[in-house]
C-alpha cells in the first residue's frame, strides 16, 4: 500500500537463460506494462511488471545496478538479488531513452537513500559506543570515591551517615557494573552486526565483480550476436537481391515464352502459306509468261510506234515540201491568172474595135 507508480511504459520482457547465461528467453508473449514503483515506508525503488497473474519482473534498484543500451530498441540490467539479467525490447528508440533516463534518476535516488540510511546507522552506533564508554568511567569514579570514603571512615570516628552513604555508593556500583555488562553485550552485538554487514558488503562486492564478469560476457555475446545479426541482414539483403534477380528472370522467361508462342504462331502461318506455294508458283509462272508476252507485244508496239513516228516525220517533211511546191504553184497560177486577165481584156478591146 505504501508503493506508488512513478513511471510506466510498455515493452517485451526477456530474461537471460540461467543454464547458458547467454541466450535470451522471452518472459512475455507480447508487450506488457513495465513500471517504476517507489516504496515510501522503506524509501526504496522497484521495477515491476505483471503478465496476467504472473509477476515477471520484481527488481529492487540499487546504486550498483547499470542499465545498458545494447541496440536502438533494446536495453538490459543485471539483478544480483534475483540472480538474473532482465532485458526489455521497446517499440521505439524514444521509449528506450526515456526508460534509461528514469533508471539513472531512480538509481541516484536509491544511492542517496542508502547513504542517508548508513549515516543513521553510524550515528546510532556512535551514540551507543559513547554511552558504553561513559558508563565505565562513571563507575570507576564511583569506586574511587567509595575507597576514599572507606579510608575516611577508618581514619575518622564511626559515623552512621557516612555508612549509609557508603551503602548507597555500593548499590550504585553494583548497578553500574550491571549496566556495564549490558552495554558490553550491546557493543558486542553491534560489533557482530558490523561484522555481518562487512561480510555482506564483501559478498556484495564479490557478487558485483561476478556480475561485472557476467556483464562483460553478456556484452561480448551481445556484440557477437550483433555481428551475427549484421551478417544475417547482409545475407537477407543478398537474398532479396537474388529474389529480385529471380523475379526479373521469371519476367524475362515469361516474355521469351510469349515471344516463342508468337513465333510458333507465325511458323504455323508460314507452314500454311507454304502449302499454297506450289499454286502460287504456278500462278507466278503463268503471270510471268503473260508478262513476257506482254513485253513482246509492247516491244512490237514500240517498233510500230517508232516506224509510225518515222512515217509521220516523213509525211511532215513531204507536207512541208508540198506546201513549198504548192506555194510556188499558186504563185505561178496567180501569174497565169493575171496573164489570162490581161489576155481577156485584150480580147475585149479587140471585140470592141471590131
Amino acid at each position: 500500500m505504501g508503493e506508488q507508480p512513478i513511471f510506466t511504459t510498455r515493452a517485451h520482457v526477456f530474461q537471460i537463460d540461467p543454464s547458458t547465461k547467454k541466450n535470451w528467453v522471452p518472459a512475455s508473449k507480447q508487450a506488457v506494462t513495465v513500471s517504476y514503483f517507489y516504496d515510501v515506508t522503506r524509501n526504496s525503488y522497484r521495477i515491476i511488471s505483471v503478465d496476467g497473474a504472473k509477476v515477471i519482473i520484481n527488481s529492487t534498484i540499487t546504486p550498483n545496478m547499470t542499465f545498458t543500451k545494447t541496440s536502438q530498441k533494446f536495453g538490459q540490467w543485471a539483478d544480483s538479488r534475483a540472480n538474473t539479467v532482465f532485458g526489455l525490447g521497446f517499440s521505439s528508440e524514444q521509449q528506450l531513452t526515456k526508460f534509461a533516463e528514469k533508471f539513472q534518476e531512480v538509481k541516484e535516488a536509491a544511492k542517496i537513500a542508502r547513504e542517508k540510511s548508513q549515516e543513521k546507522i553510524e550515528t546510532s552506533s556512535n551514540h551507543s559506543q559513547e554511552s558504553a564508554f561513559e558508563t565505565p568511567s562513571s563507575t570507576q569514579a564511583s569506586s574511587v570515591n567509595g575507597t576514599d570514603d572507606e579510608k575516611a571512615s577508618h581514619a575518622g570516628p564511626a559515623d552512621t551517615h557516612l555508612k549509609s552513604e557508603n551503602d548507597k555508593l555500593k548499590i550504585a556500583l553494583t548497578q553500574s557494573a550491571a549496566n556495564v555488562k549490558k552495554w558490553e553485550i550491546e557493543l558486542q552485538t553491534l560489533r557482530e552486526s558490523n561484522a555481518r554487514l562487512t561480510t555482506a558488503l564483501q559478498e556484495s562486492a564479490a557478487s558485483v565483480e561476478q556480475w561485472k564478469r557476467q556483464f562483460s560476457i553478456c556484452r561480448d555475446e551481445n556484440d557477437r550476436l550483433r555481428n551475427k545479426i549484421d551478417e544475417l541482414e547482409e545475407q537477407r539483403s543478398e537474398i532479396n537481391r537474388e529474389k529480385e534477380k529471380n523475379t526479373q528472370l521469371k519476367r524475362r522467361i515469361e516474355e521469351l515464352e510469349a515471344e516463342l508462342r508468337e513465333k510458333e504462331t507465325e511458323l504455323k502461318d508460314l507452314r500454311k502459306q507454304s502449302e499454297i506455294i506450289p499454286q502460287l508458283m504456278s500462278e507466278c509462272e503463268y503471270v510471268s509468261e503473260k508478262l513476257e508476252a506482254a513485253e513482246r507485244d509492247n516491244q512490237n508496239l514500240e517498233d510500230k510506234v517508232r516506224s509510225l513516228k518515222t512515217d509521220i516525220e516523213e509525211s511532215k517533211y513531204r507536207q512541208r515540201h508540198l506546201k513549198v511546191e504548192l506555194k510556188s504553184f499558186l504563185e505561178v497560177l496567180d501569174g497565169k491568172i493575171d496573164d489570162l486577165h490581161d489576155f481577156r481584156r485584150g480580147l475585149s478591146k479587140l471585140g470592141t474595135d471590131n
Side-chain angles (χ1 to χ4, degrees):
M1 296 299 291
E3 284 186 314
Q4 299 175 356
I6 57 176
F7 179 81
T8 301
T9 186
R10 292 186 66 84
H12 292 271
V13 181
F14 299 86
Q15 286 187 1
I16 201 72
D17 190 353
S19 59
T20 61
K21 298 293 184 182
K22 293 182 179 180
N23 301 325
W24 289 106
V25 178
S28 62
K29 296 181 180 179
Q30 57 187 359
V32 296
T33 302
V34 182
S35 303
Y36 286 92
F37 279 85
Y38 173 61
D39 192 345
V40 180
T41 57
R42 298 181 181 179
N43 196 15
S44 62
Y45 297 88
R46 288 196 301 168
I47 299 176
I48 297 176
S49 179
V50 179
D51 186 8
K54 180 182 177 183
V55 179
I56 54 179
I57 297 179
N58 185 8
S59 177
T60 301
I61 299 175
T62 63
N64 298 326
M65 288 184 178
T66 302
F67 186 82
T68 306
K69 296 179 182 180
T70 57
S71 67
Q72 292 182 350
K73 298 181 181 180
F74 192 86
Q76 64 184 36
W77 78 95
D79 189 346
S80 59
R81 295 182 180 180
N83 193 22
T84 187
V85 179
F86 293 102
L88 296 179
F90 295 89
S91 60
S92 65
E93 185 177 1
Q94 184 179 4
Q95 290 182 352
L96 173 61
T97 303
K98 289 182 179 179
F99 188 89
E101 291 175 353
K102 196 66 181 178
F103 191 97
Q104 187 66 26
E105 179 184 341
V106 171
K107 175 183 172 182
E108 294 295 330
K111 183 177 180 182
I112 294 171
R114 173 178 281 188
E115 290 176 352
K116 288 183 179 180
S117 63
Q118 288 180 353
E119 288 177 358
K120 289 181 181 179
I121 292 172
E122 290 175 357
T123 303
S124 62
S125 178
N126 291 332
H127 286 310
S128 300
Q129 291 178 1
E130 288 175 0
S131 301
F133 286 127
E134 287 174 358
T135 302
S137 62
S138 62
T139 304
Q140 291 176 1
S142 299
S143 63
V144 171
N145 291 330
T147 305
D148 293 336
D149 292 335
E150 289 175 357
K151 289 180 181 178
S153 65
H154 289 295
D159 190 359
T160 306
H161 180 69
L162 290 175
K163 286 181 180 180
S164 62
E165 290 293 332
N166 193 13
D167 292 336
K168 290 180 182 180
L169 289 173
K170 285 181 180 180
I171 293 170
L173 180 61
T174 303
Q175 292 178 354
S176 297
N179 289 331
V180 167
K181 289 181 180 179
K182 183 178 71 173
W183 286 112
E184 283 179 354
I185 292 170
E186 290 184 0
L187 179 61
Q188 184 64 28
T189 303
L190 289 173
R191 286 177 179 174
E192 291 176 357
S193 178
N194 191 17
R196 286 195 298 271
L197 289 173
T198 304
T199 304
L201 183 61
Q202 291 175 354
E203 291 177 356
S204 177
S207 179
V208 168
E209 293 296 329
Q210 180 182 359
W211 278 110
K212 283 183 178 179
R213 289 192 297 270
Q214 291 183 358
F215 175 73
S216 178
I217 294 171
C218 290
R219 184 173 57 189
D220 295 337
E221 180 66 18
N222 188 23
D223 293 336
R224 188 182 67 80
L225 290 174
R226 189 179 297 173
N227 295 329
K228 185 66 176 177
I229 289 171
D230 294 336
E231 292 177 358
L232 291 174
E233 287 180 352
E234 291 179 358
Q235 292 178 1
R236 185 181 66 179
S237 61
E238 291 179 358
I239 290 171
N240 290 332
R241 288 195 293 270
E242 292 295 331
K243 286 182 178 179
E244 291 178 358
K245 289 182 180 178
N246 290 334
T247 304
Q248 294 177 357
L249 289 174
K250 285 181 180 179
R251 287 198 296 267
R252 182 58 181 167
I253 289 170
E254 291 175 356
E255 292 175 356
L256 291 174
E257 288 177 350
E259 292 180 359
L260 182 61
R261 287 192 293 270
E262 291 178 357
K263 295 296 182 183
E264 288 178 352
T265 305
E266 292 179 358
L267 183 60
K268 289 179 181 179
D269 295 337
L270 291 173
R271 285 176 179 174
K272 291 179 180 179
Q273 292 177 1
S274 65
E275 293 175 357
I276 60 173
I277 284 176
Q279 182 180 357
L280 294 175
M281 289 294 292
S282 61
E283 292 179 357
C284 184
E285 290 177 355
Y286 177 72
V287 171
S288 297
E289 291 175 356
K290 284 187 174 183
L291 183 60
E292 289 177 357
E295 287 179 352
R296 286 193 297 271
D297 294 338
N298 190 19
Q299 186 67 32
N300 294 327
L301 290 172
E302 287 180 354
D303 294 337
K304 290 180 179 180
V305 167
R306 282 194 295 270
S307 63
L308 287 173
K309 285 182 178 180
T310 304
D311 294 338
I312 289 169
E313 291 293 331
E314 290 178 354
S315 64
K316 285 181 179 180
Y317 177 74
R318 289 175 181 175
Q319 285 179 359
R320 285 194 299 271
H321 183 66
L322 288 173
K323 284 181 179 180
V324 172
E325 290 181 350
L326 182 59
K327 187 177 181 181
S328 61
F329 175 74
L330 289 173
E331 290 176 354
V332 173
L333 182 60
D334 288 336
K336 295 295 184 180
I337 290 171
D338 291 334
D339 291 338
L340 285 174
H341 282 299
D342 292 338
F343 179 72
R344 187 175 181 184
R345 282 192 302 270
L347 287 177
S348 296
K349 286 179 179 182
L350 286 179
T352 303
D353 290 338
N354 289 326

